[in-house]
Amino acid sequence: MEAPKFSVLIANYNNAHLIGQALDSIKRQTIQDFEVIVVDDGSTDNSRSAVEAEMASFGGRLRYIYQSNGGVASARNAAIMASSGSYLTFLDPDDYWHAERLEAHAAILDQNEAVGLCCSDFDRLHEDGHVEQHFSRWVPFPNFPFEQRISREDSLRWLLAVNFIGTNGVTIRRRCVQAVGLFTESYRQAEDYDYWLRCAVNTEFYVIPRVLHTYRIHQGGLTKNFLENCEYSQRVVLYFAETYEGFIGSHGLGGAVRSAIARRWYEIGNLSFEGGDIRKAFGSYLTGLRSEISFPNVLRFLSVAARKTIRLGTFGSLSRERLARHS
């Protein structure tokens, strides 16, 4: 039996109420040359019956695999190992694709053999119905190389500056997956960021500035914990810098890596400050200063430290005034 063009990989955990919409968005694709693999990561709801109810409509192209709970990276790895398509692509069970999603990605990968990873823009749908376009928020750079092949070095530079990739908007050529390997299961968050960085070492990227899927923002979801996500992202970058030290040095990426590490320490500091952990905040700022010895970074440290010190002083004055007023 001939392998399909696409393997659509879904890692599911307790999304029985939403996975039907995700699967329906796959059925509506303008390209129908695909297999769908749902790996259920130990769900305790009726996910199995929700998926099985859709099997007949897929005509044998939908597979359901159950495993004990091991996390999203483990579930994605199980789906990768069970897949057979030329192109591997991801869809979370609580999100959905637009009808041309597969066709748009196939057009790029079919015509650009050197490109191993293609990604596209998406809408972020909040629980209150508010919608924002991902690239307009996270890639405010006028020179971002949309709609062109991006070299490994430039892909890494942009990824280190901002993780512009949404997992549901990614398609990866099988040979790239074979070179990169599997997702790192020890990461509770940012396992996708780690994977994109590793992909960039191995292949060229292509970014489509067109909204081709919708991503739901859940108030109780993992993505709500910005501090934890930022800390995991920093862990990913630090490990990447150590593991790929030779590649980074030989391709002139040392400055980009150091800048990314310093910038993320400031982000951790800011989030810690807003959460009330002042000691951790200023400790992170100092670590950020030590991470990159450069004039711009010294200015950044002085600016951040001065602003936070002023805020602390203002808060202290207001607190004393309130105490005096009530004494």
Side-chain angles (χ1 to χ4, degrees):
M1 184 176 181
E2 186 177 354
K5 180 181 282 288
F6 284 96
S7 290
V8 182
L9 312 180
I10 300 178
N12 175 72
Y13 179 73
N14 285 347
N15 278 289
H17 59 302
L18 292 172
I19 196 169
Q21 184 179 17
L23 292 172
D24 188 57
S25 76
I26 300 172
K27 287 186 289 186
R28 293 199 310 269
Q29 291 299 300
T30 55
I31 282 183
Q32 290 288 302
D33 188 5
F34 58 72
E35 65 176 356
V36 182
I37 301 172
V38 177
V39 175
D40 192 336
D41 192 39
S43 292
T44 56
D45 63 0
N46 62 333
S47 288
R48 178 188 291 271
S49 59
V51 175
E52 289 177 344
E54 299 285 342
M55 284 187 171
S57 64
F58 277 89
R61 293 177 297 167
L62 172 59
R63 296 170 59 191
Y64 175 85
I65 300 171
Y66 183 87
Q67 67 173 30
S68 298
N69 183 259
V72 65
S74 171
R76 286 183 181 143
N77 287 341
I80 289 172
M81 290 185 287
S83 69
S84 61
S86 300
Y87 303 149
L88 281 67
T89 189
F90 304 95
L91 177 60
D92 288 341
D94 52 346
D95 303 323
Y96 56 90
W97 284 342
H98 300 187
E100 303 83 13
R101 161 65 163 79
L102 292 182
E103 182 179 3
H105 284 222
I108 299 304
L109 292 170
D110 288 350
Q111 297 170 19
N112 296 274
E113 188 65 26
V115 173
L117 185 148
C118 175
C119 66
S120 50
D121 198 1
F122 59 94
D123 282 335
R124 299 162 60 91
L125 175 62
H126 294 261
E127 290 182 337
D128 62 2
H130 172 65
V131 176
E132 60 184 348
Q133 195 171 330
H134 174 73
F135 284 163
S136 67
R137 175 176 178 177
W138 294 112
V139 190
F141 305 110
N143 298 318
F144 190 86
F146 291 116
E147 297 186 296
Q148 59 185 281
R149 287 167 51 182
I150 311 174
S151 69
R152 294 182 300 164
E153 295 84 357
D154 285 343
S155 296
L156 277 170
R157 286 191 181 91
W158 285 107
L159 275 174
L160 289 165
V162 56
N163 182 12
F164 55 86
I165 298 177
T167 303
N168 298 321
V170 170
T171 300
I172 311 176
R173 204 179 291 274
R174 176 167 291 279
R175 72 161 185 264
C176 180
V177 172
Q178 291 170 338
V180 173
L182 300 173
F183 285 86
T184 303
E185 297 184 11
S186 60
Y187 292 140
R188 182 170 178 265
Q189 294 192 48
E191 79 291 332
D192 53 347
Y193 185 41
D194 167 70
Y195 203 77
W196 315 147
L197 288 169
R198 288 155 54 201
C199 283
V201 172
N202 287 276
T203 190
E204 295 181 1
F205 283 21
Y206 194 105
V207 181
I208 303 172
R210 177 181 171 193
V211 172
L212 291 171
H213 77 269
T214 296
Y215 170 72
R216 298 179 196 270
I217 304 293
H218 300 287
Q219 293 303 311
L222 282 174
T223 50
K224 183 66 175 176
N225 192 335
F226 297 116
L227 176 57
E228 183 179 9
N229 185 267
C230 192
E231 289 174 331
Y232 267 96
S233 295
Q234 182 72 306
R235 178 179 166 187
V236 162
V237 174
L238 290 169
Y239 184 75
F240 176 81
E242 178 181 348
T243 305
Y244 293 94
E245 181 180 4
F247 181 91
I248 291 166
S250 63
H251 289 77
L253 293 166
V257 170
R258 289 189 295 273
S259 180
I261 291 171
R263 182 171 56 253
R264 203 161 271 109
W265 278 123
Y266 292 121
E267 293 172 2
I268 292 171
N270 289 338
L271 290 167
S272 299
F273 187 93
E274 297 303 326
D277 194 339
I278 307 305
R279 182 184 295 274
K280 181 177 179 179
F282 279 87
S284 298
Y285 297 146
L286 284 170
T287 305
L289 174 63
R290 291 192 293 266
S291 299
E292 182 188 17
I293 307 303
S294 69
F295 183 67
N297 190 39
V298 171
L299 290 180
R300 181 191 302 166
F301 169 79
L302 292 174
S303 175
V304 170
R307 289 199 308 270
K308 301 308 181 185
T309 301
I310 291 171
R311 281 186 59 184
L312 284 174
T314 302
F315 178 77
S317 298
L318 291 173
S319 298
R320 286 190 293 272
E321 288 178 12
R322 291 193 187 100
L323 287 172
R325 197 177 302 125
H326 290 89
S327 60

